[in-house]
Amino acid sequence: MAWNEPGNKGNKDPWGNKSGNDKGPPDLDEVFRNFSKRFGGKGGNSSSGQPFSSGAFIAIAVVALIIWGLSGLYTIKEAERGVQLRFGQFIGEVGPGLHWKATFIDEVYPVDVETYRSLPASGSMLTSDENLVKVELVVQYSVNDAYSYLFSAVDANASLSEATDSAFRFVIGHNNMDDILTTGRDAIRRDTWRELERIIEPYKLGIQIRDVNFLPARPPEEVKDAFDDAISAQEDEQRFIREAEAYAREIEPKARGQVERMAQQASAYMQRVTLEAQGQVARFELLLPEYQQSPEVTRKRLYLDAMQEVMSDTNKVLIDTKNNGNLMYLPLDKLMDSSRSNQAQEEPEVERHINSNSATTNSNSFTRMPTDGRMSREERARQGRD
């Protein structure tokens, strides 16, 4: 039964009223006295009239102070820097280690300043030659100023993302599709890096760009096959050029060596001919005094020496039948074969010096002999007439 219902005899209300007819508020002094009786000691009011004793108050204050002091301890990791604020005002950065701050007065925000962070960027962009290309980019950055990173912008990461997209589209829009897909990738990466640093510099985001990685670009799927063929043709062109250069590097030394060898052979031939000519001149100069003393003997000697040199290389035999009509049979073919075999065994290689004028003249005066060594009747008659 509720305390204020009719028939509830003697039940007091929750506020301590003896009868249910009293509707006034509770007595706060009595509530505090009851509370002090439970926590303040044996008696109710102290001698000074305070609801709490001084010892209890000091104990509570000491405990609260200890709790407050311990709550201010914090640790900054090795890779972090702490941004310390006092009543919302920046007072400095805190290095790694164990530190203390005044709770409810100071605030410290740790920021990782050594870890490299990645920010991807991608999209379909229009090139300078009005082609559409799908490109991807990854920016690696780190925090070099913790306070600027936290408070210079609402969200430094979002600001960097927007700046990256702007710089990337600007660079792609100023390059043609062939450079983006093939040879100009490194230049695009460097240009994007430089443009991104230029954009974020006025905002002082406390961020330092560490690297920009330009991932392989690709054309739209509708024209991918045609672009693959074009790229294959360019790669084949470069391969053929390299093969031609390698072939040229291989042939050129050989050609230079051959030219050098021919030049040395020509030089050696010139020297040999010059020395031979000088030797012949010296020999004739030595023969000149003898010729002046006895011209006939010297002329005949020179003639015989020349004829001996010329006739030593021929296999023809001359027989004078003018004064002798009888011809004795001789096995000239066998004799000549044996003499040639002996010469081949003794001198396998013989340098022949044939005077063309003498050979021509003597060949007309030689008479062909049959294989059996006998002359025909017409030849004997012709020689008789001569």
Side-chain angles (χ1 to χ4, degrees):
M1 180 179 293
W3 65 271
N4 56 354
E5 291 182 0
N8 187 10
K9 299 180 179 179
N11 293 333
K12 300 180 179 179
D13 61 0
W15 307 110
N17 297 325
K18 295 180 180 181
S19 62
N21 297 325
D22 191 1
K23 303 296 183 180
D27 190 358
L28 295 179
D29 294 337
E30 187 177 356
V31 173
F32 281 115
R33 280 195 299 269
N34 294 332
F35 184 78
S36 63
K37 287 179 181 180
R38 294 181 180 180
F39 298 96
K42 297 180 181 180
N45 295 334
S46 61
S47 60
S48 59
Q50 298 294 331
F52 296 100
S53 64
S54 60
F57 181 80
I58 293 174
I60 294 174
V62 170
V63 172
L65 183 62
I66 293 173
I67 294 174
W68 179 79
L70 293 176
S71 66
L73 295 176
Y74 65 95
T75 302
I76 300 297
K77 297 180 181 179
E78 185 65 26
E80 295 178 345
R81 297 295 182 271
V83 179
Q84 188 173 7
L85 304 178
R86 179 164 295 169
F87 297 112
Q89 184 179 3
F90 175 70
I91 61 174
E93 290 188 359
V94 181
L98 181 63
H99 302 277
W100 181 85
K101 64 179 178 65
T103 307
F104 308 119
I105 298 175
D106 295 344
E107 294 183 2
V108 178
Y109 299 94
V111 178
D112 191 347
V113 297
E114 293 187 4
T115 302
Y116 281 19
R117 312 180 186 194
S118 297
L119 178 65
S122 61
S124 298
M125 302 181 186
L126 194 64
T127 63
S128 61
D129 52 357
E130 298 182 356
N131 286 317
L132 194 65
V133 61
K134 294 182 178 180
V135 290
E136 296 180 1
L137 185 75
V138 177
V139 178
Q140 293 183 349
Y141 66 97
S142 63
V143 178
N144 61 351
D145 189 348
Y147 175 75
S148 299
Y149 176 75
L150 291 177
F151 300 107
S152 292
V154 176
D155 189 350
N157 295 326
S159 299
L160 179 62
S161 177
E162 294 176 359
T164 301
D165 188 71
S166 177
F168 199 22
R169 289 183 181 277
F170 175 80
V171 174
I172 293 297
H174 286 78
N175 288 271
N176 55 38
M177 187 131 185
D178 292 337
D179 294 338
I180 296 172
L181 296 177
T182 56
T183 59
R185 297 172 49 80
D186 187 65
I188 293 173
R189 184 185 71 85
R190 288 185 279 104
D191 293 343
T192 304
W193 191 341
R194 184 166 51 251
E195 183 66 18
L196 178 59
E197 289 181 341
R198 186 190 66 81
I199 292 175
I200 67 175
E201 183 179 3
Y203 297 98
K204 297 181 181 180
L205 300 177
I207 292 175
Q208 182 177 1
I209 306 300
R210 298 295 183 178
D211 194 10
V212 175
N213 296 324
F214 182 43
L215 302 180
R218 59 186 185 276
E221 296 297 333
E222 293 78 7
V223 294
K224 185 177 182 300
D225 295 337
F227 274 94
D228 290 341
D229 294 340
I231 293 175
S232 299
Q234 292 178 356
E235 292 177 352
D236 292 340
E237 178 186 4
Q238 296 298 324
R239 179 170 57 84
F240 291 149
I241 291 175
R242 300 294 179 269
E243 291 178 354
E245 291 176 351
Y247 177 74
R249 287 193 296 267
E250 180 183 0
I251 294 299
E252 185 177 0
K254 295 181 180 180
R256 292 183 182 276
Q258 186 176 2
V259 170
E260 186 67 21
R261 184 176 67 254
M262 294 176 65
Q264 292 178 359
Q265 290 177 354
S267 178
Y269 176 75
M270 179 185 68
Q271 294 178 1
R272 181 174 62 83
V273 171
T274 302
L275 293 176
E276 289 179 355
Q278 291 175 355
Q280 293 177 0
V281 170
R283 185 181 62 182
F284 281 109
E285 288 179 352
L286 293 176
L287 291 175
L288 181 59
E290 298 180 2
Y291 179 78
Q292 291 176 351
Q293 292 178 4
S294 54
E296 294 296 333
V297 175
T298 305
R299 186 183 299 110
K300 187 173 182 180
R301 178 184 173 185
L302 293 174
Y303 174 76
L304 294 176
D305 290 341
M307 292 302 295
Q308 182 180 1
E309 182 179 0
V310 171
M311 294 301 180
S312 62
D313 295 335
T314 184
N315 56 0
K316 295 183 179 179
V317 178
L318 299 178
I319 298 177
D320 187 8
T321 59
K322 184 176 181 180
N323 298 324
N324 189 5
N326 298 324
L327 179 63
M328 182 176 61
Y329 171 74
L330 294 175
L332 298 178
D333 53 349
K334 296 182 179 180
L335 292 176
M336 287 188 294
D337 292 339
S338 62
S339 63
R340 282 197 299 269
S341 62
N342 293 332
Q343 290 179 359
Q345 293 177 358
E346 294 176 359
E347 300 178 356
E349 295 181 0
V350 179
E351 183 177 1
R352 297 183 179 181
H353 302 280
I354 301 175
N355 191 343
S356 60
N357 295 331
S358 301
T360 304
T361 305
N362 294 330
S363 63
N364 295 330
S365 61
F366 287 173
T367 304
R368 289 185 177 272
M369 296 292 294
T371 57
D372 56 358
R374 297 180 181 180
M375 299 178 62
S376 63
R377 183 178 300 174
E378 291 80 4
E379 292 175 350
R380 290 198 297 270
R382 187 168 54 254
Q383 288 183 359
R385 287 194 300 271
D386 295 337

